[in-house]
Amino acid sequence: MKKRLILSVLAFGLLTVGFISLKKAAQLPQRPNILWITNEDMSPQHLGCYGGKVAKTPNIDQLAREGVRYANAFSTAGVCAPSRNTLITGMYHTSIGGHNMRNFLPGSFNSPNFRSGAPFPSYSVLTPADVRAFPEFLRKAGYYCTNNYKQDYQFEAPETVWDESGSPPDRAKADWRGRPDKNQPFFSVINLEDTHEGQLFARDNMPLTVKPEDVELLPFYQDTPTMRNDVARHLSNIEDMDRKVGEIIKRLKEDGLYDNTIIFYYSDHGDCLPYVKREIYDRGLRVPLVIRYPNAQNAGTIIDDLVSFVDFAPTLLSLANIPISKFMQGQAFLGTQKAKIPRKYIFAARDRMDSEVDRVRAVFDGRFRYLKNYMPEKPYYQPLRYRMQIKSIAEMIKLRDEGKLTGLQMHWFRSNKPTEELFDLKNDPFEVNNIANDPKYAAKLKELREQHEAWVKKYGDLGELSEKEILSKWWNGQQKAPKTETPSVKMVSNKATITCATAGASIGYKKHSSDKSWSVYAAPVKLVQGDSLIVQAYRIGFEKSEVVKIAP
């Protein structure tokens, strides 16, 4: 890790800096409390701690002053569900079929429901048998794990993943306060929706806290009242989100947990604004990441190392002193299992978005971004029904059709792409000048092309297949996902040994029907007088098993 003094901040948080070493690794307990505060659809440059001058974000800025700020943290996609698929598994979403936006709707396993004109009904990713959502490992190690409340993992989360996962209308209830033992370590996720794309139009009639005349516009936008209003709406939503971050911190302090909890703050991908969300340029992938350690260890440090969402799950296990699972494809950037060599490249992907199909892959080395366009015949802009509710996008299309957009304002509306693109973000932070054909950069083009090819070879890329082919491969030609086998329970004296014939199944159990969550089965369960046993098995990508009940 390296601490850097900021010399200048370019568009989207690209930094030019010098280096200073960290004082020392943070001193942490064996099983530290860990809290993730995440918000949606927001690039880092709007926050004061990342150089933002318009939106007021005092609570996140305070976290940064007391914590460690990462200058080069990235999502693996410019949209939420594929990114969250990577976060929860520690695997690239392209390697396990979670790359399309989106494939699974909550509560619609094997249903005929369609999403925004998507070409296939809702279906769950089918992961390899050894894959688990990482909180399951934390729970086995004694953690109380909560999610509040969004999942969107591209699969139905097994009951073994969370002790609590809130949902409307009780979404605010799932956090560390639900622990039966207040000394039990916890891992809690709290997701804030204020900055989501949908809030640009859902809050259209709400008062703005940021003045439209104060905002800065991207060079791709025409300066109109509508565009300024949408940007001001986004920045106002950021201010609302920051206030909620303050409320969460206040609850931690009230509970005496602020100075013995590792707090992560990050966004799930870049801004919700036109020509940003869903893109895999810097503006779509770069995210804020602030980590505050107990007692503000290493306060004010800035880390330049490249960090990817695929690294988050192994890092959490490393911080909790739990062995990193072999199936995980990222590397820990903190904790006892921190990788010896910092990450050299960031990999990202774009695939189907709602009804529109495209396939693009990206490699970034900290300065240069390489794009491989597998469908160069496709236009850059694609008409997505959902985002047409945003007034500024509807206006851009109208101005385009009237021939009133000029220069970079037409950049998004190019009708096709080259097979390869290369950008030098030091000199071209908005990524508009493709230097792939410039002989001066031939060596860099070759390097990043080869890194992309090696990445595909190492991890696989299910984007090579149509969704119909993927489902046929997963389901052996059947029309729907299989069902997890009913678990078997063997009683010896007062201990229950539970097995499931479905390879890779997780097993959950309750000792009383009134228990609010399913425990994760890891060893024979001891029963005492008054206990019963309720058992269910889950395999990611399968329907859950039948429930088995053993009488007292």
Side-chain angles (χ1 to χ4, degrees), residues 23 224 319 536:
K23 298 174 185 177
T224 68
L319 287 171
Q536 191 169 42

Side-chain angles (χ1 to χ4, degrees), residues 89-91 132 134 137 313-314 317 324-330:
T89 62
M91 303 178 75
R132 301 288 189 277
F134 78 85
F137 299 114
L317 296 183
I324 296 173
S325 300
K326 292 181 179 179
F327 68 78
M328 292 184 176
Q329 297 165 349

Side-chain angles (χ1 to χ4, degrees), residues 389-458:
Q389 298 173 88
I390 300 172
K391 290 183 177 179
S392 56
I393 288 185
E395 180 186 63
M396 288 179 77
I397 301 306
K398 180 175 183 291
L399 292 172
R400 179 202 64 181
D401 294 345
E402 293 172 350
K404 294 180 180 178
L405 299 183
T406 61
L408 286 182
Q409 296 167 11
M410 281 295 293
H411 198 71
W412 195 15
F413 302 108
R414 290 167 291 164
S415 60
N416 54 62
K417 318 178 189 76
T419 301
E420 294 181 307
E421 296 177 87
L422 182 67
F423 302 101
D424 176 2
L425 275 74
K426 180 179 180 181
N427 297 306
D428 178 22
F430 294 104
E431 297 172 86
V432 297
N433 299 312
N434 181 16
I435 56 175
N437 295 322
D438 189 330
K440 290 191 302 183
Y441 300 100
K444 179 57 66 174
L445 178 69
K446 181 175 183 289
E447 173 197 341
L448 298 185
R449 178 196 296 134
E450 290 177 349
Q451 287 299 321
H452 164 63
E453 292 169 350
W455 176 73
V456 172
K457 183 177 180 180
K458 182 174 183 179

Side-chain angles (χ1 to χ4, degrees), residues 140-331:
K140 284 185 176 180
Y143 272 82
Y144 189 80
C145 295
T146 69
N147 179 60
N148 182 356
Y149 75 102
K150 187 172 182 177
Q151 295 186 4
D152 211 11
Y153 306 142
Q154 306 279 51
F155 56 79
E156 183 176 36
E159 297 286 357
T160 48
V161 178
W162 301 108
D163 286 278
E164 293 184 81
S165 186
S167 59
D170 66 339
R171 65 181 66 173
K173 296 181 180 179
D175 64 17
W176 61 87
R177 288 182 169 176
R179 291 172 296 163
D181 177 358
K182 300 310 177 185
N183 293 316
Q184 183 179 8
F186 66 83
F187 169 59
S188 290
V189 179
I190 299 179
N191 183 75
L192 303 176
E193 297 180 296
D194 305 75
T195 51
H196 186 269
E197 179 180 43
Q199 299 304 314
L200 287 180
F201 48 86
R203 299 185 178 192
D204 192 49
N205 294 321
M206 292 178 61
L208 296 171
T209 57
V210 169
K211 296 178 181 178
E213 59 267 27
D214 291 342
V215 306
E216 295 182 2
L217 301 180
L218 297 182
F220 310 109
Y221 302 160
Q222 191 170 108
D223 193 343
T224 68
T226 298
M227 183 60 73
R228 285 190 169 274
N229 190 82
D230 275 356
V231 176
R233 174 76 274 156
H234 182 46
L235 297 184
S236 297
N237 292 346
I238 290 171
E239 292 190 340
D240 286 343
M241 178 273 296
D242 181 80
R243 282 191 284 273
K244 292 182 181 178
V245 171
E247 292 169 2
I248 295 167
I249 292 170
K250 181 181 177 182
R251 291 206 303 273
L252 271 182
K253 290 180 176 179
E254 289 172 350
D255 294 352
L257 296 169
Y258 186 61
D259 277 323
N260 61 8
T261 299
I262 304 172
I263 304 170
F264 282 59
Y265 161 76
Y266 66 95
S267 173
D268 66 351
H269 53 75
D271 276 341
C272 58
L273 297 169
Y275 202 18
V276 180
K277 184 172 179 175
R278 302 174 183 86
E279 306 297 334
I280 55 175
Y281 301 109
D282 211 69
R283 56 187 176 270
L285 298 175
R286 189 182 291 269
V287 298
L289 173 60
V290 174
I291 301 176
R292 186 195 186 276
Y293 293 103
N295 300 308
Q297 296 175 66
N298 293 317
T301 302
I302 302 170
I303 304 295
D304 184 59
D305 295 349
L306 297 175
V307 172
S308 169
F309 274 7
V310 76
D311 302 327
F312 277 42
T315 297
L316 261 286
L317 296 183
S318 179
L319 287 171
N321 293 289
I322 298 169
I324 296 173
S325 300
K326 292 181 179 179
F327 68 78
M328 292 184 176
Q329 297 165 349
Q331 60 184 55

